[in-house]
Amino acid sequence: MFIENRENELVYMTSSVIGTRHAFTTRYGGVSEGIFSSLNLGSNRGDDPERVRENYRRVCALMGVGVDGAVVTKQVHGSVVRTVTEADRHVCMSTVPYEADGVVTSCRNLPLLCFTADCVPALLCDSVHGVAAAVHCGWRSSVGDILGNAVAAMTALGARPESICCALGPAIGSCCFETDDDVPAAIETWLEGDTAGLFRRRGDGKTLVDLRLANARRLLQLGLSQANVDISDECTYCSHDKYWSHRYTKGQRGSQAAAIVLR
């Protein structure tokens, strides 16, 4: 179950299945102005860098660290998942020296952040064995099996699939994720045909796709328990006042974050 929380200036969502500090941020609680109002965490969208840095500071404080204390993704819609350590703490607004759409760690007090504005954010945690991950699941990353890579990286650090919990956060829903035939075809191949209920074909030749449910289906294939997978029911396109939506704004937007830290 997803719950809305308010802490200091921030409004953010949490999931009942994740047993450590985490957050799916909204547009609320930042200092950015204009089209970036107010909690924009996209450092390359054209927003005032000092305002973005203050937004980062607020989210990092929520995670218990300073503004330069978190690890972030550098997203390229790929399937690379990077195992990170203390050496990967990111100096806010500096260039990220690697490309990775997911990050995994077993380090305590090391927050992980990934960014979205319609794509599916996935936070994973094995509280028993002390491993966490933040993963950006756009459709290309998804069919590239980024969640398979994330679970493999977590198990390499000692996690077990049956102990991993995953929250799939606010993203564009099946009500609004309109695609051409290449997307459902790629998902059919990725999930080896286990796609019942994922697609709704329209009369105009387009297909509406449930990308969150597709990723949940993959998690079950990877050995996670259905009881340990939580799926947000909020659509970023429909709720564009609360969340950043790339499609709704035609690219003129900020970014929200999914953040997790092992205590």
Side-chain angles (χ1 to χ4, degrees):
M1 181 173 67
F2 275 75
I3 304 159
E4 185 174 285
N5 307 267
R6 295 173 183 267
E7 189 165 333
N8 299 323
E9 303 94 340
L10 299 177
V11 178
Y12 60 96
M13 306 302 293
T14 56
S15 166
S16 57
V17 304
I18 302 295
T20 192
R21 186 69 159 172
H22 68 287
F24 296 90
T25 67
T26 68
R27 292 183 61 167
Y28 306 141
V31 299
S32 293
E33 297 179 338
I35 65 169
F36 300 110
S37 178
S38 67
L39 189 71
N40 166 40
L41 298 166
S43 60
N44 61 349
R45 309 299 306 181
D47 196 1
D48 180 336
E50 289 306 311
R51 294 186 183 276
V52 177
R53 183 175 174 83
E54 172 58 19
N55 293 339
Y56 266 96
R57 187 198 66 75
R58 295 182 181 194
V59 174
C60 286
L62 185 68
M63 294 293 106
V65 298
V67 69
D68 299 324
V71 173
V72 303
T73 50
K74 183 178 181 181
Q75 297 166 193
V76 294
H77 294 275
S79 57
V80 172
V81 175
R82 179 181 176 88
T83 299
V84 296
T85 66
E86 294 284 346
D88 295 291
R89 289 188 191 268
H90 176 61
V91 176
C92 185
M93 308 303 290
S94 68
T95 300
V96 181
Y98 52 79
E99 293 181 348
D101 281 68
V103 284
V104 172
T105 196
S106 59
C107 297
R108 302 285 173 175
N109 302 312
L110 181 64
L112 309 177
L113 276 69
C114 69
F115 307 97
T116 59
D118 277 337
C119 295
V120 180
L123 295 179
L124 301 95
C125 183
D126 181 340
S127 295
V128 176
H129 301 99
V131 186
V135 185
H136 162 253
C137 303
W139 78 263
R140 290 181 178 84
S141 296
S142 296
V143 302
D145 204 27
I146 193 167
L147 284 178
N149 294 341
V151 170
M154 291 179 74
T155 57
L157 293 176
R160 296 291 178 267
E162 61 272 17
S163 299
I164 296 173
C165 296
C166 180
L168 300 169
I172 194 167
S174 59
C175 49
C176 299
F177 187 31
E178 171 191 285
T179 76
D180 292 319
D181 290 342
D182 56 336
V183 177
I187 292 174
E188 284 276 2
T189 300
W190 166 47
L191 296 179
E192 298 181 336
D194 185 13
T195 57
L198 299 184
F199 311 133
R200 182 158 54 91
R201 186 76 169 178
R202 290 200 324 213
D204 62 359
K206 298 290 186 179
T207 300
L208 292 168
V209 174
D210 192 333
L211 189 59
R212 273 179 298 203
L213 186 56
N215 278 285
R217 195 74 52 83
R218 180 58 179 146
L219 290 168
L220 300 185
Q221 292 179 346
L222 291 166
L224 275 70
S225 164
Q226 188 163 3
N228 289 343
V229 178
D230 195 12
I231 308 174
S232 169
D233 63 1
E234 290 189 288
C235 171
T236 48
Y237 190 101
C238 292
S239 299
H240 52 267
D241 56 335
K242 182 178 180 181
Y243 298 104
W244 299 107
S245 171
H246 185 83
R247 285 200 175 196
Y248 183 84
T249 61
K250 297 179 172 60
Q252 302 301 305
R253 49 80 180 173
S255 299
Q256 55 247 354
I260 189 167
V261 61
L262 293 166
R263 295 297 198 186

